[in-house]
Amino acid sequence: MEAETLLTNFAIIASFISPENIGTNPVSMIWLFPLASAIAVVYKATKLPTITTGNFIKEVLPLLGSIIVFLGATALVLYGLVWFITE
């Protein structure tokens, strides 16, 4: 039993050694949603003086929306710049 637990622990730790392979296609932009939501939640959790469920959601959603819009606009500008340079 001890050996199985040790092997399981090594397998779990080994899965974090190599990074996730995220492509460079437009579908990979889906990975930005969990990143943006984590940023918004952590930022608001550190900045709000008192956290209630309704207030927290009311504060996080606009921040999450603005982060997603800003990242999308940045991606479009960079895509346009690359298209302009390569064409």
Side-chain angles (χ1 to χ4, degrees):
M1 185 74 168
E2 185 74 25
E4 281 183 24
T5 306
L6 189 61
L7 288 175
T8 303
N9 289 344
F10 281 141
I12 291 171
I13 292 170
S15 67
F16 290 107
I17 291 174
S18 63
E20 182 68 32
N21 185 14
I22 298 174
T24 56
N25 54 12
V27 178
S28 65
M29 291 291 286
I30 293 173
W31 284 101
L32 290 177
F33 292 115
L35 175 66
S37 61
I39 290 170
V41 166
V42 169
Y43 180 78
K44 284 299 176 179
T46 59
K47 294 296 179 183
L48 288 176
T50 58
I51 297 176
T52 60
T53 305
N55 187 29
F56 189 69
I57 291 172
K58 192 168 61 173
E59 292 283 334
V60 166
L61 288 180
L63 180 60
L64 176 62
S66 65
I67 290 172
I68 290 173
V69 167
F70 180 75
L71 288 175
T74 304
L76 286 175
V77 168
L78 290 174
Y79 180 76
L81 183 65
V82 168
W83 178 80
F84 181 72
I85 291 172
T86 58
E87 292 295 319

